[in-house]
């Protein structure tokens, strides 16, 4: 095998590795979008659930609460 053949082979392999790496990055970024959306929805839900309760009215307190 001559030097020219080895350089061509290494060039093709390097190009294939770079293209594969770029494809992996694109796939991971596309997979991250729905996961980020789900995390944002969970964050908003947690903030909604953790909000403080409104104060109880004086009348409801005197009546023993609403039933």
């Amino acid at each position: 095998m001559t030097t020219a053949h080895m350089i061509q082979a290494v060039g093709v392999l390097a190009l294939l590795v770079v293209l594969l790496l770029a494809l992996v990055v694109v796939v991971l970024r596309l997979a991250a979008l729905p996961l980020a959306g789900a995390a944002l929805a969970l964050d908003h839900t947690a903030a909604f659930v953790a909000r403080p309760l409104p104060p109880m009215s004086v009348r409801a307190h005197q009546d023993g609460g609403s039933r």
Side-chain angles (χ1 to χ4, degrees):
M1 189 173 221
T2 65
T3 306
H5 288 273
M6 286 190 289
I7 291 173
Q8 287 175 349
V10 170
V12 170
L13 288 177
L15 180 63
L16 288 176
V17 168
V18 168
L19 288 175
L20 180 64
L21 183 62
L23 180 65
V24 167
V25 168
V26 167
V27 168
L28 288 176
R29 286 180 63 106
L30 287 175
L33 285 173
L35 293 176
L40 188 62
L42 285 173
D43 183 54
H44 283 292
T45 304
F48 179 74
V49 170
R51 74 189 191 288
L53 294 173
M56 192 183 321
S57 68
V58 175
R59 183 174 179 201
H61 185 66
Q62 290 173 350
D63 293 340
S66 58
R67 294 182 189 182

